[in-house]
Amino acid sequence: MTYCVGLKLDRGLVFAADTRTNAGLDNVSTFKKLHVWEKPGERVITLLSAGNLAVTQAVVSILTEHIAGGLDGNRATLMNVETMFQAARLVGSAVREVRQIDGEALEASAENFFVTFILGGQIKGEEPRLFQVYSAGNFIEVSDDTPYLQIGEHKYGKPILDRVTHADMRLGEGAKMILLSFDSTLRSNLSVGLPIDLLLYNKDSFSSERQLRIEKDDPYFRKLSKAWSDALRDAFTEIEELEV
């Protein structure tokens, strides 16, 4: 399993993804699930992936190979489409292409084709945008009412996003909130694990330079986790008990 979050704010976008994959309790590995394609000064496109690892890697490989083979401009790729909507359609097409090739074999071997993606970024000439792409290749775009998307093991980290998110947050605030969402998920589900890949994208910067990986012993994450636990305990203590 995995956990990924994409957040759209007035100041830009925040993305985070864990790196754990497992095929049983004794077969746990680390794989990168946050992928970035960038043309400095023109576009930054980020893709988060959850689900069957072979399928998600195949989708990412197709998108990357199309870029390498589409330099002459005859093929639509993430590097030459004019809008993020068109980019979302490319991701959906790649999902359907993998399904056409591998779907029947996966079903015959009792494997599943379940995958989901969060696609976000900005192409010069439009605002930053954020989409969720499903196993069928269809997709939705994030709304102003709910400016975030989650994929994977999302239920444990959802409450803080519902309670705290507001569009005029600073990107650093958004990143803090998302890491707290991850902290809650890590405590409740062993299928999600560190390291966490994080990307903060400043609107109109067309640069992905604000990337980092949160490792197991990261001092900020440990401090954040302890402070949040202490604050929750204090809040719980201060609320009056139920009298029956």
Side-chain angles (χ1 to χ4, degrees):
M1 202 56 176
T2 190
Y3 180 44
C4 304
V5 181
L7 175 65
K8 180 184 176 184
L9 302 172
D10 294 341
R11 293 175 171 85
L13 302 166
V14 184
F15 303 94
D18 87 316
T19 54
R20 176 167 293 179
T21 62
N22 66 80
L25 295 176
D26 59 348
N27 187 12
V28 177
S29 303
T30 297
F31 286 90
K32 189 175 181 65
K33 305 169 192 174
L34 187 155
H35 310 276
V36 181
W37 295 269
E38 178 179 10
K39 186 180 292 186
E42 182 184 305
R43 69 187 63 206
V44 171
I45 297 175
T46 301
L47 187 70
L48 311 179
S49 60
N52 185 300
L53 182 62
V55 176
T56 60
Q57 287 188 339
V59 170
V60 171
S61 294
I62 286 173
L63 294 169
T64 302
E65 288 184 358
H66 284 181
I67 292 171
L71 298 179
D72 58 2
N74 291 330
R75 179 196 292 271
T77 75
L78 294 179
M79 288 293 97
N80 62 26
V81 292
E82 296 181 354
T83 68
M84 286 299 301
F85 176 83
Q86 294 173 7
R89 293 195 65 178
L90 285 182
V91 176
S93 295
V95 173
R96 287 190 291 270
E97 183 177 341
V98 175
R99 177 182 286 277
Q100 184 177 10
I101 296 170
D102 297 329
E104 185 176 343
L106 286 172
E107 292 173 1
S109 62
E111 294 286 339
N112 66 69
F113 194 87
F114 178 76
V115 291
T116 50
F117 299 90
I118 293 174
L119 174 73
Q122 185 178 18
I123 296 174
K124 195 168 185 178
E126 66 173 6
E127 294 290 304
R129 299 174 73 176
L130 191 64
F131 299 85
Q132 180 167 335
V133 183
Y134 298 99
S135 296
N138 56 330
F139 54 88
I140 61 170
E141 185 169 5
V142 75
S143 69
D144 292 335
D145 294 328
T146 307
Y148 67 85
L149 294 169
Q150 300 170 282
I151 57 175
E153 190 56 72
H154 63 271
K155 56 182 176 291
Y156 302 106
K158 191 174 189 296
I160 187 173
L161 300 179
D162 286 336
R163 291 177 179 271
V164 177
T165 303
H166 54 92
D168 61 349
M169 297 175 80
R170 296 185 299 276
L171 295 186
E173 285 184 300
K176 176 178 69 172
M177 178 184 66
I178 286 175
L179 288 177
L180 289 173
S181 176
F182 269 86
D183 180 64
S184 297
T185 304
L186 291 169
R187 285 176 176 269
S188 300
N189 193 297
L190 293 176
S191 70
V192 177
L194 294 162
I196 299 167
D197 288 321
L198 192 65
L199 168 61
L200 284 67
Y201 172 73
N202 292 83
K203 179 181 177 180
D204 298 330
S205 69
F206 302 103
S207 170
S208 65
E209 63 181 359
R210 298 184 69 184
Q211 289 191 64
L212 70 155
R213 171 165 282 195
I214 306 294
E215 300 283 358
K216 181 178 180 180
D217 296 324
D218 183 89
Y220 175 77
F221 188 74
R222 294 178 67 180
K223 179 180 178 181
L224 185 81
S225 178
K226 182 180 184 304
W228 185 241
S229 294
D230 292 344
L232 287 175
R233 291 191 188 99
D234 290 343
F236 176 80
T237 301
E238 291 176 4
I239 299 173
E240 63 184 69
E241 296 180 23
L242 173 66
E243 295 184 5
V244 180

Short mmCIF file of all heavy atoms in Angstrom, two decimals, residues 104-166:
data_model
loop_
_atom_site.label_atom_id
_atom_site.label_comp_id
_atom_site.label_asym_id
_atom_site.label_seq_id
_atom_site.Cartn_x
_atom_site.Cartn_y
_atom_site.Cartn_z
N GLU A 104 -5.27 -8.35 -19.15
CA GLU A 104 -5.80 -9.72 -19.21
C GLU A 104 -4.89 -10.69 -18.47
O GLU A 104 -5.36 -11.58 -17.75
CB GLU A 104 -5.95 -10.15 -20.67
CG GLU A 104 -6.60 -11.51 -20.84
CD GLU A 104 -6.84 -11.86 -22.31
OE1 GLU A 104 -6.80 -10.94 -23.15
OE2 GLU A 104 -7.07 -13.06 -22.58
N ALA A 105 -3.58 -10.52 -18.63
CA ALA A 105 -2.63 -11.41 -17.95
C ALA A 105 -2.69 -11.22 -16.44
O ALA A 105 -2.60 -12.19 -15.67
CB ALA A 105 -1.21 -11.15 -18.45
N LEU A 106 -2.84 -9.99 -15.98
CA LEU A 106 -2.94 -9.73 -14.55
C LEU A 106 -4.18 -10.38 -13.96
O LEU A 106 -4.14 -10.98 -12.89
CB LEU A 106 -2.96 -8.22 -14.28
CG LEU A 106 -1.62 -7.48 -14.45
CD1 LEU A 106 -1.82 -5.98 -14.36
CD2 LEU A 106 -0.62 -7.93 -13.39
N GLU A 107 -5.30 -10.25 -14.67
CA GLU A 107 -6.54 -10.85 -14.18
C GLU A 107 -6.45 -12.38 -14.16
O GLU A 107 -6.96 -13.03 -13.25
CB GLU A 107 -7.71 -10.41 -15.06
CG GLU A 107 -8.03 -8.92 -14.92
CD GLU A 107 -9.07 -8.46 -15.93
OE1 GLU A 107 -9.54 -9.31 -16.70
OE2 GLU A 107 -9.40 -7.26 -15.92
N ALA A 108 -5.76 -12.94 -15.15
CA ALA A 108 -5.63 -14.40 -15.21
C ALA A 108 -4.76 -14.95 -14.08
O ALA A 108 -4.92 -16.10 -13.67
CB ALA A 108 -5.03 -14.81 -16.56
N SER A 109 -3.84 -14.12 -13.57
CA SER A 109 -2.95 -14.57 -12.50
C SER A 109 -3.40 -14.09 -11.13
O SER A 109 -2.63 -14.09 -10.18
CB SER A 109 -1.52 -14.08 -12.76
OG SER A 109 -1.48 -12.65 -12.76
N ALA A 110 -4.64 -13.62 -11.05
CA ALA A 110 -5.24 -13.15 -9.79
C ALA A 110 -4.62 -11.86 -9.29
O ALA A 110 -4.83 -11.46 -8.16
CB ALA A 110 -5.15 -14.23 -8.71
N GLU A 111 -3.81 -11.21 -10.12
CA GLU A 111 -3.28 -9.89 -9.78
C GLU A 111 -4.33 -8.85 -10.12
O GLU A 111 -5.24 -9.09 -10.92
CB GLU A 111 -1.99 -9.61 -10.56
CG GLU A 111 -0.84 -10.52 -10.20
CD GLU A 111 -0.24 -10.19 -8.85
OE1 GLU A 111 -0.43 -9.04 -8.39
OE2 GLU A 111 0.41 -11.07 -8.26
N ASN A 112 -4.22 -7.67 -9.54
CA ASN A 112 -5.20 -6.62 -9.84
C ASN A 112 -4.55 -5.50 -10.62
O ASN A 112 -3.33 -5.31 -10.60
CB ASN A 112 -5.85 -6.09 -8.56
CG ASN A 112 -4.87 -5.37 -7.66
OD1 ASN A 112 -4.39 -4.30 -7.98
ND2 ASN A 112 -4.57 -5.97 -6.51
N PHE A 113 -5.39 -4.74 -11.30
CA PHE A 113 -4.92 -3.62 -12.11
C PHE A 113 -5.20 -2.29 -11.40
O PHE A 113 -5.21 -1.25 -12.02
CB PHE A 113 -5.60 -3.64 -13.49
CG PHE A 113 -4.95 -2.73 -14.49
CD1 PHE A 113 -3.89 -3.18 -15.26
CD2 PHE A 113 -5.39 -1.43 -14.66
CE1 PHE A 113 -3.28 -2.34 -16.19
CE2 PHE A 113 -4.78 -0.58 -15.59
CZ PHE A 113 -3.72 -1.04 -16.36
N PHE A 114 -5.43 -2.33 -10.11
CA PHE A 114 -5.82 -1.12 -9.41
C PHE A 114 -4.65 -0.16 -9.30
O PHE A 114 -3.61 -0.47 -8.70
CB PHE A 114 -6.34 -1.44 -8.02
CG PHE A 114 -6.71 -0.21 -7.24
CD1 PHE A 114 -7.89 0.46 -7.51
CD2 PHE A 114 -5.87 0.28 -6.26
CE1 PHE A 114 -8.23 1.61 -6.82
CE2 PHE A 114 -6.20 1.42 -5.55
CZ PHE A 114 -7.39 2.09 -5.83
N VAL A 115 -4.80 1.02 -9.89
CA VAL A 115 -3.80 2.09 -9.78
C VAL A 115 -4.54 3.43 -9.70
O VAL A 115 -5.63 3.57 -10.26
CB VAL A 115 -2.82 2.13 -10.97
CG1 VAL A 115 -1.90 0.93 -10.95
CG2 VAL A 115 -3.55 2.24 -12.29
N THR A 116 -3.95 4.37 -9.03
CA THR A 116 -4.44 5.75 -9.03
C THR A 116 -3.24 6.68 -9.05
O THR A 116 -2.16 6.33 -8.55
CB THR A 116 -5.32 6.07 -7.81
OG1 THR A 116 -4.64 5.66 -6.61
CG2 THR A 116 -6.66 5.39 -7.90
N PHE A 117 -3.45 7.85 -9.60
CA PHE A 117 -2.38 8.84 -9.71
C PHE A 117 -2.90 10.21 -9.30
O PHE A 117 -4.07 10.53 -9.49
CB PHE A 117 -1.86 8.93 -11.14
CG PHE A 117 -1.26 7.67 -11.68
CD1 PHE A 117 -2.05 6.73 -12.33
CD2 PHE A 117 0.09 7.40 -11.53
CE1 PHE A 117 -1.51 5.56 -12.83
CE2 PHE A 117 0.64 6.23 -12.03
CZ PHE A 117 -0.16 5.31 -12.69
N ILE A 118 -2.00 11.01 -8.74
CA ILE A 118 -2.25 12.44 -8.58
C ILE A 118 -1.30 13.16 -9.53
O ILE A 118 -0.09 12.96 -9.48
CB ILE A 118 -2.01 12.91 -7.12
CG1 ILE A 118 -3.05 12.30 -6.18
CG2 ILE A 118 -2.05 14.43 -7.04
CD1 ILE A 118 -2.80 12.60 -4.72
N LEU A 119 -1.86 13.96 -10.40
CA LEU A 119 -1.08 14.72 -11.37
C LEU A 119 -1.27 16.20 -11.09
O LEU A 119 -2.40 16.68 -10.96
CB LEU A 119 -1.56 14.41 -12.79
CG LEU A 119 -0.93 15.26 -13.90
CD1 LEU A 119 0.52 14.85 -14.14
CD2 LEU A 119 -1.74 15.18 -15.18
N GLY A 120 -0.19 16.92 -10.97
CA GLY A 120 -0.29 18.35 -10.72
C GLY A 120 0.89 19.09 -11.29
O GLY A 120 1.94 18.50 -11.60
N GLY A 121 0.73 20.39 -11.43
CA GLY A 121 1.82 21.20 -11.93
C GLY A 121 1.30 22.47 -12.58
O GLY A 121 0.14 22.85 -12.42
N GLN A 122 2.19 23.10 -13.32
CA GLN A 122 1.82 24.33 -14.01
C GLN A 122 2.54 24.41 -15.34
O GLN A 122 3.73 24.12 -15.44
CB GLN A 122 2.18 25.56 -13.16
CG GLN A 122 1.73 26.88 -13.76
CD GLN A 122 2.04 28.08 -12.90
OE1 GLN A 122 2.88 28.02 -11.99
NE2 GLN A 122 1.38 29.21 -13.17
N ILE A 123 1.78 24.79 -16.36
CA ILE A 123 2.32 25.06 -17.69
C ILE A 123 2.13 26.55 -17.95
O ILE A 123 1.06 27.10 -17.66
CB ILE A 123 1.60 24.21 -18.75
CG1 ILE A 123 1.88 22.72 -18.50
CG2 ILE A 123 2.05 24.60 -20.16
CD1 ILE A 123 1.09 21.78 -19.40
N LYS A 124 3.13 27.19 -18.47
CA LYS A 124 3.10 28.63 -18.68
C LYS A 124 1.87 29.03 -19.49
O LYS A 124 1.57 28.43 -20.52
CB LYS A 124 4.37 29.09 -19.40
CG LYS A 124 4.60 30.59 -19.34
CD LYS A 124 6.00 30.94 -19.82
CE LYS A 124 6.27 32.43 -19.64
NZ LYS A 124 7.66 32.77 -20.05
N GLY A 125 1.16 30.02 -18.99
CA GLY A 125 -0.05 30.47 -19.65
C GLY A 125 -1.32 30.10 -18.90
O GLY A 125 -2.40 30.57 -19.25
N GLU A 126 -1.20 29.25 -17.86
CA GLU A 126 -2.35 28.90 -17.05
C GLU A 126 -1.95 28.77 -15.59
O GLU A 126 -0.76 28.75 -15.25
CB GLU A 126 -3.02 27.62 -17.54
CG GLU A 126 -2.20 26.37 -17.39
CD GLU A 126 -3.00 25.13 -17.75
OE1 GLU A 126 -4.15 25.24 -18.21
OE2 GLU A 126 -2.46 24.02 -17.55
N GLU A 127 -2.96 28.67 -14.72
CA GLU A 127 -2.73 28.54 -13.29
C GLU A 127 -2.28 27.11 -12.95
O GLU A 127 -2.49 26.18 -13.73
CB GLU A 127 -4.03 28.84 -12.53
CG GLU A 127 -4.51 30.29 -12.65
CD GLU A 127 -3.61 31.23 -11.90
OE1 GLU A 127 -3.39 31.03 -10.69
OE2 GLU A 127 -3.09 32.18 -12.54
N PRO A 128 -1.66 26.91 -11.78
CA PRO A 128 -1.37 25.55 -11.33
C PRO A 128 -2.67 24.75 -11.23
O PRO A 128 -3.71 25.28 -10.84
CB PRO A 128 -0.74 25.75 -9.95
CG PRO A 128 -0.19 27.14 -9.97
CD PRO A 128 -1.14 27.93 -10.83
N ARG A 129 -2.60 23.46 -11.56
CA ARG A 129 -3.79 22.60 -11.54
C ARG A 129 -3.44 21.25 -10.94
O ARG A 129 -2.27 20.83 -10.93
CB ARG A 129 -4.36 22.45 -12.95
CG ARG A 129 -4.79 23.78 -13.56
CD ARG A 129 -5.23 23.66 -15.00
NE ARG A 129 -6.54 23.02 -15.13
CZ ARG A 129 -7.17 22.88 -16.30
NH1 ARG A 129 -6.61 23.31 -17.44
NH2 ARG A 129 -8.37 22.32 -16.34
N LEU A 130 -4.49 20.55 -10.46
CA LEU A 130 -4.28 19.30 -9.75
C LEU A 130 -5.39 18.32 -10.13
O LEU A 130 -6.57 18.67 -10.08
CB LEU A 130 -4.30 19.57 -8.24
CG LEU A 130 -3.85 18.46 -7.28
CD1 LEU A 130 -2.38 18.14 -7.48
CD2 LEU A 130 -4.10 18.91 -5.83
N PHE A 131 -5.01 17.07 -10.49
CA PHE A 131 -5.95 16.08 -10.97
C PHE A 131 -5.72 14.74 -10.27
O PHE A 131 -4.61 14.44 -9.83
CB PHE A 131 -5.80 15.83 -12.48
CG PHE A 131 -6.03 17.04 -13.34
CD1 PHE A 131 -5.00 17.95 -13.59
CD2 PHE A 131 -7.27 17.26 -13.93
CE1 PHE A 131 -5.21 19.04 -14.40
CE2 PHE A 131 -7.49 18.36 -14.74
CZ PHE A 131 -6.45 19.26 -14.97
N GLN A 132 -6.77 13.92 -10.24
CA GLN A 132 -6.65 12.52 -9.84
C GLN A 132 -7.06 11.67 -11.02
O GLN A 132 -8.13 11.85 -11.60
CB GLN A 132 -7.53 12.21 -8.63
CG GLN A 132 -7.41 10.76 -8.18
CD GLN A 132 -8.04 10.52 -6.81
OE1 GLN A 132 -8.14 11.44 -6.00
NE2 GLN A 132 -8.43 9.28 -6.55
N VAL A 133 -6.18 10.71 -11.36
CA VAL A 133 -6.41 9.83 -12.50
C VAL A 133 -6.67 8.42 -11.97
O VAL A 133 -5.93 7.92 -11.13
CB VAL A 133 -5.20 9.81 -13.45
CG1 VAL A 133 -5.49 8.95 -14.68
CG2 VAL A 133 -4.81 11.23 -13.87
N TYR A 134 -7.73 7.78 -12.51
CA TYR A 134 -8.17 6.48 -12.01
C TYR A 134 -7.70 5.35 -12.91
O TYR A 134 -7.14 5.55 -13.99
CB TYR A 134 -9.69 6.47 -11.90
CG TYR A 134 -10.24 7.49 -10.94
CD1 TYR A 134 -10.74 8.71 -11.41
CD2 TYR A 134 -10.24 7.26 -9.57
CE1 TYR A 134 -11.24 9.67 -10.53
CE2 TYR A 134 -10.75 8.20 -8.68
CZ TYR A 134 -11.23 9.40 -9.17
OH TYR A 134 -11.71 10.34 -8.30
N SER A 135 -7.98 4.12 -12.45
CA SER A 135 -7.55 2.92 -13.18
C SER A 135 -8.12 2.83 -14.58
O SER A 135 -7.52 2.23 -15.48
CB SER A 135 -7.95 1.66 -12.41
OG SER A 135 -7.30 1.59 -11.17
N ALA A 136 -9.30 3.43 -14.79
CA ALA A 136 -9.92 3.40 -16.11
C ALA A 136 -9.33 4.44 -17.05
O ALA A 136 -9.67 4.47 -18.24
CB ALA A 136 -11.43 3.61 -15.98
N GLY A 137 -8.47 5.32 -16.52
CA GLY A 137 -7.88 6.37 -17.34
C GLY A 137 -8.66 7.67 -17.30
O GLY A 137 -8.23 8.67 -17.87
N ASN A 138 -9.81 7.67 -16.64
CA ASN A 138 -10.57 8.91 -16.48
C ASN A 138 -10.01 9.69 -15.30
O ASN A 138 -9.21 9.18 -14.51
CB ASN A 138 -12.05 8.62 -16.29
CG ASN A 138 -12.33 7.69 -15.12
OD1 ASN A 138 -11.50 6.84 -14.78
ND2 ASN A 138 -13.47 7.84 -14.49
N PHE A 139 -10.44 10.94 -15.14
CA PHE A 139 -9.84 11.77 -14.10
C PHE A 139 -10.78 12.88 -13.67
O PHE A 139 -11.76 13.19 -14.36
CB PHE A 139 -8.51 12.38 -14.59
CG PHE A 139 -8.61 13.15 -15.87
CD1 PHE A 139 -8.93 14.50 -15.87
CD2 PHE A 139 -8.36 12.53 -17.09
CE1 PHE A 139 -9.01 15.22 -17.06
CE2 PHE A 139 -8.43 13.24 -18.28
CZ PHE A 139 -8.76 14.59 -18.27
N ILE A 140 -10.48 13.44 -12.50
CA ILE A 140 -11.20 14.60 -11.98
C ILE A 140 -10.18 15.67 -11.63
O ILE A 140 -9.00 15.38 -11.41
CB ILE A 140 -12.04 14.25 -10.73
CG1 ILE A 140 -11.14 13.76 -9.60
CG2 ILE A 140 -13.12 13.24 -11.08
CD1 ILE A 140 -11.83 13.63 -8.26
N GLU A 141 -10.66 16.92 -11.55
CA GLU A 141 -9.81 18.02 -11.13
C GLU A 141 -10.24 18.50 -9.75
O GLU A 141 -11.42 18.51 -9.42
CB GLU A 141 -9.88 19.18 -12.13
CG GLU A 141 -8.92 20.31 -11.81
CD GLU A 141 -8.80 21.34 -12.94
OE1 GLU A 141 -9.54 21.21 -13.94
OE2 GLU A 141 -7.96 22.26 -12.83
N VAL A 142 -9.26 18.88 -8.95
CA VAL A 142 -9.53 19.33 -7.59
C VAL A 142 -10.43 20.57 -7.62
O VAL A 142 -10.40 21.36 -8.56
CB VAL A 142 -8.21 19.64 -6.86
CG1 VAL A 142 -7.60 20.94 -7.34
CG2 VAL A 142 -8.39 19.68 -5.35
N SER A 143 -11.26 20.72 -6.56
CA SER A 143 -12.19 21.84 -6.48
C SER A 143 -11.72 22.85 -5.44
O SER A 143 -10.89 22.56 -4.59
CB SER A 143 -13.59 21.35 -6.11
OG SER A 143 -13.61 20.89 -4.77
N ASP A 144 -12.30 24.06 -5.49
CA ASP A 144 -11.98 25.07 -4.49
C ASP A 144 -12.50 24.66 -3.11
O ASP A 144 -11.91 25.02 -2.09
CB ASP A 144 -12.60 26.42 -4.88
CG ASP A 144 -11.97 27.02 -6.12
OD1 ASP A 144 -10.80 26.68 -6.40
OD2 ASP A 144 -12.63 27.81 -6.82
N ASP A 145 -13.59 23.91 -3.07
CA ASP A 145 -14.15 23.47 -1.79
C ASP A 145 -13.27 22.45 -1.09
O ASP A 145 -13.16 22.44 0.13
CB ASP A 145 -15.54 22.87 -2.01
CG ASP A 145 -16.56 23.89 -2.48
OD1 ASP A 145 -16.42 25.07 -2.10
OD2 ASP A 145 -17.47 23.52 -3.24
N THR A 146 -12.64 21.58 -1.86
CA THR A 146 -11.73 20.57 -1.30
C THR A 146 -10.43 20.63 -2.10
O THR A 146 -10.28 19.91 -3.09
CB THR A 146 -12.35 19.16 -1.37
OG1 THR A 146 -13.64 19.18 -0.76
CG2 THR A 146 -11.47 18.15 -0.65
N PRO A 147 -9.48 21.48 -1.68
CA PRO A 147 -8.30 21.74 -2.50
C PRO A 147 -7.17 20.72 -2.33
O PRO A 147 -6.01 21.05 -2.53
CB PRO A 147 -7.86 23.12 -2.02
CG PRO A 147 -8.26 23.16 -0.59
CD PRO A 147 -9.53 22.36 -0.50
N TYR A 148 -7.49 19.49 -1.97
CA TYR A 148 -6.46 18.47 -1.84
C TYR A 148 -6.97 17.15 -2.39
O TYR A 148 -8.18 16.92 -2.51
CB TYR A 148 -6.02 18.29 -0.38
CG TYR A 148 -7.09 17.70 0.51
CD1 TYR A 148 -7.28 16.32 0.60
CD2 TYR A 148 -7.92 18.51 1.27
CE1 TYR A 148 -8.27 15.77 1.40
CE2 TYR A 148 -8.92 17.97 2.08
CZ TYR A 148 -9.08 16.60 2.14
OH TYR A 148 -10.06 16.06 2.93
N LEU A 149 -6.04 16.27 -2.72
CA LEU A 149 -6.34 14.92 -3.18
C LEU A 149 -5.48 13.94 -2.42
O LEU A 149 -4.31 14.23 -2.11
CB LEU A 149 -6.07 14.78 -4.68
CG LEU A 149 -6.95 15.60 -5.63
CD1 LEU A 149 -6.39 15.57 -7.04
CD2 LEU A 149 -8.39 15.07 -5.62
N GLN A 150 -6.03 12.77 -2.12
CA GLN A 150 -5.29 11.69 -1.47
C GLN A 150 -5.48 10.41 -2.27
O GLN A 150 -6.56 10.16 -2.80
CB GLN A 150 -5.82 11.43 -0.06
CG GLN A 150 -5.75 12.59 0.91
CD GLN A 150 -6.52 12.26 2.18
OE1 GLN A 150 -7.74 12.34 2.20
NE2 GLN A 150 -5.81 11.88 3.23
N ILE A 151 -4.45 9.60 -2.32
CA ILE A 151 -4.55 8.26 -2.90
C ILE A 151 -3.83 7.28 -1.98
O ILE A 151 -2.96 7.66 -1.20
CB ILE A 151 -3.98 8.19 -4.33
CG1 ILE A 151 -2.52 8.64 -4.38
CG2 ILE A 151 -4.83 8.99 -5.29
CD1 ILE A 151 -1.87 8.48 -5.75
N GLY A 152 -4.21 6.02 -2.07
CA GLY A 152 -3.61 5.02 -1.21
C GLY A 152 -4.34 4.93 0.11
O GLY A 152 -5.56 5.10 0.20
N GLU A 153 -3.59 4.71 1.17
CA GLU A 153 -4.15 4.51 2.51
C GLU A 153 -4.43 5.88 3.13
O GLU A 153 -3.65 6.41 3.91
CB GLU A 153 -3.16 3.72 3.38
CG GLU A 153 -3.72 3.26 4.70
CD GLU A 153 -4.98 2.43 4.55
OE1 GLU A 153 -4.87 1.27 4.10
OE2 GLU A 153 -6.06 2.94 4.88
N HIS A 154 -5.57 6.47 2.77
CA HIS A 154 -5.81 7.87 3.06
C HIS A 154 -6.64 8.15 4.30
O HIS A 154 -6.66 9.27 4.78
CB HIS A 154 -6.52 8.52 1.86
CG HIS A 154 -7.88 7.95 1.58
ND1 HIS A 154 -8.04 6.87 0.75
CD2 HIS A 154 -9.11 8.29 2.02
CE1 HIS A 154 -9.33 6.58 0.68
NE2 HIS A 154 -10.00 7.42 1.45
N LYS A 155 -7.32 7.15 4.86
CA LYS A 155 -8.32 7.46 5.88
C LYS A 155 -7.74 8.01 7.17
O LYS A 155 -8.35 8.85 7.82
CB LYS A 155 -9.17 6.23 6.18
CG LYS A 155 -8.42 4.98 6.60
CD LYS A 155 -9.40 3.84 6.81
CE LYS A 155 -8.69 2.53 7.15
NZ LYS A 155 -7.94 2.02 5.99
N TYR A 156 -6.55 7.55 7.57
CA TYR A 156 -5.99 8.00 8.84
C TYR A 156 -5.50 9.46 8.76
O TYR A 156 -5.53 10.18 9.76
CB TYR A 156 -4.83 7.10 9.26
CG TYR A 156 -5.22 5.66 9.38
CD1 TYR A 156 -4.83 4.72 8.42
CD2 TYR A 156 -6.00 5.21 10.45
CE1 TYR A 156 -5.21 3.39 8.53
CE2 TYR A 156 -6.38 3.89 10.56
CZ TYR A 156 -5.97 2.99 9.59
OH TYR A 156 -6.35 1.66 9.69
N GLY A 157 -5.06 9.88 7.60
CA GLY A 157 -4.52 11.23 7.46
C GLY A 157 -5.52 12.27 6.99
O GLY A 157 -5.19 13.44 6.87
N LYS A 158 -6.76 11.84 6.75
CA LYS A 158 -7.76 12.76 6.19
C LYS A 158 -8.29 13.78 7.20
O LYS A 158 -8.52 14.95 6.82
CB LYS A 158 -8.92 11.96 5.60
CG LYS A 158 -9.89 12.79 4.76
CD LYS A 158 -10.91 11.88 4.09
CE LYS A 158 -11.76 12.64 3.08
NZ LYS A 158 -12.59 13.68 3.71
N PRO A 159 -8.53 13.43 8.47
CA PRO A 159 -9.15 14.39 9.39
C PRO A 159 -8.44 15.72 9.50
O PRO A 159 -9.08 16.77 9.48
CB PRO A 159 -9.15 13.63 10.73
CG PRO A 159 -9.23 12.20 10.34
CD PRO A 159 -8.40 12.09 9.10
N ILE A 160 -7.11 15.73 9.60
CA ILE A 160 -6.42 17.01 9.74
C ILE A 160 -6.53 17.83 8.46
O ILE A 160 -6.64 19.06 8.51
CB ILE A 160 -4.94 16.82 10.15
CG1 ILE A 160 -4.32 18.20 10.44
CG2 ILE A 160 -4.16 16.07 9.09
CD1 ILE A 160 -2.94 18.12 11.02
N LEU A 161 -6.53 17.17 7.30
CA LEU A 161 -6.69 17.91 6.05
C LEU A 161 -8.06 18.56 5.98
O LEU A 161 -8.21 19.70 5.53
CB LEU A 161 -6.48 16.98 4.85
CG LEU A 161 -5.12 16.29 4.74
CD1 LEU A 161 -5.08 15.39 3.52
CD2 LEU A 161 -3.99 17.30 4.68
N ASP A 162 -9.09 17.83 6.43
CA ASP A 162 -10.45 18.38 6.42
C ASP A 162 -10.58 19.56 7.38
O ASP A 162 -11.28 20.53 7.08
CB ASP A 162 -11.45 17.29 6.83
CG ASP A 162 -11.69 16.27 5.74
OD1 ASP A 162 -11.47 16.60 4.56
OD2 ASP A 162 -12.10 15.14 6.07
N ARG A 163 -9.93 19.50 8.52
CA ARG A 163 -10.10 20.53 9.54
C ARG A 163 -9.22 21.76 9.34
O ARG A 163 -9.59 22.87 9.74
CB ARG A 163 -9.80 19.93 10.93
CG ARG A 163 -10.81 18.92 11.42
CD ARG A 163 -10.38 18.33 12.76
NE ARG A 163 -11.34 17.36 13.27
CZ ARG A 163 -12.37 17.66 14.05
NH1 ARG A 163 -12.58 18.92 14.39
NH2 ARG A 163 -13.19 16.73 14.48
N VAL A 164 -8.05 21.58 8.76
CA VAL A 164 -7.04 22.65 8.78
C VAL A 164 -6.85 23.35 7.44
O VAL A 164 -6.53 24.53 7.38
CB VAL A 164 -5.69 22.09 9.29
CG1 VAL A 164 -4.61 23.15 9.26
CG2 VAL A 164 -5.85 21.52 10.71
N THR A 165 -7.07 22.65 6.33
CA THR A 165 -6.74 23.20 5.01
C THR A 165 -7.49 24.49 4.70
O THR A 165 -8.70 24.57 4.87
CB THR A 165 -7.07 22.17 3.91
OG1 THR A 165 -6.37 20.96 4.16
CG2 THR A 165 -6.66 22.71 2.54
N HIS A 166 -6.76 25.50 4.25
CA HIS A 166 -7.38 26.70 3.69
C HIS A 166 -6.46 27.22 2.59
O HIS A 166 -5.22 27.10 2.66
CB HIS A 166 -7.65 27.78 4.74
CG HIS A 166 -6.46 28.17 5.56
ND1 HIS A 166 -5.62 29.21 5.21
CD2 HIS A 166 -5.96 27.64 6.72
CE1 HIS A 166 -4.67 29.33 6.13
NE2 HIS A 166 -4.84 28.41 7.04
#
